[in-house]
Amino acid sequence: NLVGVAPQAGDLGISGAQRIAAGDKSRSVLWERMRRLDQNRMPNLGSHVVDQAGVALIGQWIDAGAL
C-alpha cells in the first residue's frame, strides 16, 4: 500500500504526489521526507542530519521503477 498510492498526511507541495511513485523520486513523498530536516522529515525523531547516502540509494531504487 505504498507504491502508486496518494499520501494521506499531505503532499508536501508535490504535484501528482504518491507515497512512492515508481520511476519518479521527485513525486515520491517518502523520498522527499527523507531529504528534509523540518517537521515533515522521516524519521521524525532522533535525526538532526540528512543521511545523504541513504537518500541517494532510495532515490535510485525509486527511479529504477522495479518496485
Side-chain angles (χ1 to χ4, degrees):
N1 294 331
L2 293 176
V3 178
V5 176
Q8 293 181 344
D11 63 13
L12 304 177
I14 300 170
S15 180
Q18 297 179 1
R19 290 179 181 174
I20 298 175
D24 188 358
K25 69 180 175 253
S26 67
R27 292 189 313 118
S28 300
V29 172
L30 177 135
W31 184 73
E32 181 60 31
R33 287 187 188 279
M34 290 180 68
R35 297 171 23 139
R36 292 179 172 236
L37 289 176
D38 63 11
Q39 72 275 8
N40 295 304
R41 71 180 180 208
M42 188 180 95
N44 61 353
L45 296 173
S47 177
H48 301 296
V49 296
V50 173
D51 179 352
Q52 297 296 337
V55 169
L57 180 64
I58 295 300
Q60 291 169 2
W61 176 69
I62 292 170
D63 282 347
L67 309 173

